[in-house]
Amino acid sequence: MGTIRAHSDSEIQARKDDILRSATDLLLHGDWGSLTLATVAEKTSISRPSMYNYYKVKEEIFLDLMIREYADWKRDLEARLEAKLSRADFCAALVDSLWTRDLLTMLIALYSEVPQEKCRTDFVERYHSETHQFYTWFSGVLARQFPA
């Protein structure tokens, strides 16, 4: 990737994936306070000025990480929760799934500390739409598993 400008959708997505991978590594081995666009750029093949083509503030990276983590968690839960389960087995499957998701649990814990008003509207709207879809799906799972 280097200094060559991304033109195609796949190149743009590859750059975003690189940014999110680097931000994940920094978060899992550091903390939210030390994460900056500059520190993320240092871990990628993307220059700091080019970072602004993808994310204007670190809070936008946070929202994209949350979207990605919820989508990954949903895929895992779909496999674990497709069969009818007892309450104990359902809770065990849910805990087992969440237990392996260090980044998701960290992001959920940080959620109240991340000011969404710093983000562009399209990021916030996409975040709310995607997470709403997750919770709507999960509500349906609960209703099917425990109709009473």
Side-chain angles (χ1 to χ4, degrees):
M1 286 187 245
T3 59
I4 300 171
R5 186 173 187 84
H7 294 289
S8 70
D9 289 343
S10 63
E11 290 172 335
I12 291 168
Q13 189 57 53
R15 296 270 173 105
K16 284 185 175 184
D17 290 344
D18 192 18
I19 291 167
L20 294 178
R21 248 187 323 278
S22 297
T24 296
D25 187 53
L26 288 166
L27 280 172
L28 291 176
H29 298 98
D31 63 18
W32 174 250
S34 63
L35 184 86
T36 65
L37 292 180
T39 59
V40 173
E42 288 172 11
K43 289 191 67 73
T44 68
S45 58
I46 302 164
S47 69
R48 184 176 175 191
S50 293
M51 286 284 293
Y52 293 104
N53 292 324
Y54 306 97
Y55 299 99
K56 300 294 184 202
V57 292
K58 71 179 185 177
E59 290 79 6
E60 291 176 349
I61 294 173
F62 176 88
L63 294 179
D64 269 358
L65 284 173
M66 287 286 282
I67 290 168
R68 188 184 70 182
E69 287 300 302
Y70 272 110
D72 288 348
W73 193 30
K74 181 181 180 221
R75 281 189 291 278
D76 182 39
L77 288 175
E78 284 173 330
R80 292 174 186 256
L81 305 177
E82 72 178 292
K84 180 78 170 146
L85 302 170
S86 68
R87 284 180 197 255
D89 289 342
F90 181 89
C91 290
L94 190 59
V95 169
D96 286 346
S97 177
L98 194 53
W99 189 258
T100 63
R101 304 197 163 281
D102 294 339
L103 182 60
L104 179 60
T105 54
M106 177 185 285
L107 294 172
I108 290 170
L110 285 170
Y111 180 78
S112 64
E113 298 178 29
V114 177
Q116 292 181 19
E117 58 272 4
K118 288 185 171 187
C119 301
R120 289 173 283 180
T121 305
D122 59 320
F123 276 82
V124 175
E125 288 174 353
R126 189 165 46 84
Y127 166 77
H128 286 290
S129 173
E130 296 289 329
T131 56
H132 177 75
Q133 288 175 31
F134 172 85
Y135 285 110
T136 299
W137 168 82
F138 191 70
S139 293
V141 169
L142 288 173
R144 283 189 305 282
Q145 288 285 337
F146 311 107

